[in-house]
Amino acid sequence: METFLNAESTMIILFIIVACGFGARKLKWTDDRFDTGLTKLIMNISCPALILDSVLSNTNLPDAGFILNILVISVVGFAVLLGVAWVAPRIYRTPHESIGVHQFNIAFGNTGFMGLPFIAGLFGSDALFYATIFNL
């Protein structure tokens, strides 16, 4: 029950942040230039800092063998996803001109903006460390 409440509060916080951004854009408080700068700030400073914090604040890091196992599992997982991404658009009869977009969306999730902060908020820095290894 506690995990559900923690997930709920994390989602509410993220939803409020997204709603504030949406409202600011609708009120013309932000523009494309601001959005580009904010994206660069998040992707080049905030996310790496969040990842670094997950490593530096973690007092019980696993050994190199365990990390290598996680990395191998993630490579196998991505290989399976690439196979699914190749087959799925053909099964769903996706128009030829958009097959590449569908394949990319299936194979690679957008974990940078919402995924990593959600994992950090819900499961803590230990889980963020593993998610980062998986995303490598």
Side-chain angles (χ1 to χ4, degrees):
M1 184 68 174
E2 181 181 332
T3 302
F4 174 75
L5 293 176
N6 193 12
E8 183 180 64
S9 64
T10 302
M11 289 304 293
I12 289 170
I13 291 168
L14 291 174
F15 177 78
I16 290 170
I17 292 169
V18 169
C20 288
F22 178 79
R25 182 65 180 219
K26 284 294 182 183
L27 293 170
K28 308 253 190 257
W29 292 351
T30 64
D31 56 7
D32 290 338
R33 189 170 153 232
F34 176 84
D35 292 346
T36 301
L38 187 60
T39 298
K40 286 179 182 177
L41 175 73
I42 290 170
M43 295 308 291
N44 296 326
I45 296 174
S46 296
C47 276
L50 183 67
I51 292 166
L52 245 143
D53 177 63
S54 77
V55 174
L56 296 176
S57 66
N58 198 334
T59 57
N60 54 353
L61 288 175
D63 62 355
F66 187 75
I67 293 172
L68 186 61
N69 285 339
I70 293 172
L71 198 56
V72 168
I73 290 168
S74 69
V75 168
V76 169
F78 274 116
V80 169
L81 278 175
L82 288 173
V84 170
W86 190 82
V87 172
R90 288 159 179 80
I91 291 173
Y92 295 125
R93 300 173 200 244
T94 303
H96 181 71
E97 61 273 2
S98 63
I99 283 180
V101 174
H102 286 263
Q103 289 173 329
F104 186 84
N105 284 335
I106 292 169
F108 304 104
N110 183 8
T111 58
F113 271 160
M114 296 297 282
L116 293 179
F118 180 73
I119 289 170
L122 183 60
F123 299 112
S125 64
D126 291 348
L128 181 62
F129 175 74
Y130 294 122
T132 302
I133 293 172
F134 185 80
N135 280 320
L136 285 177

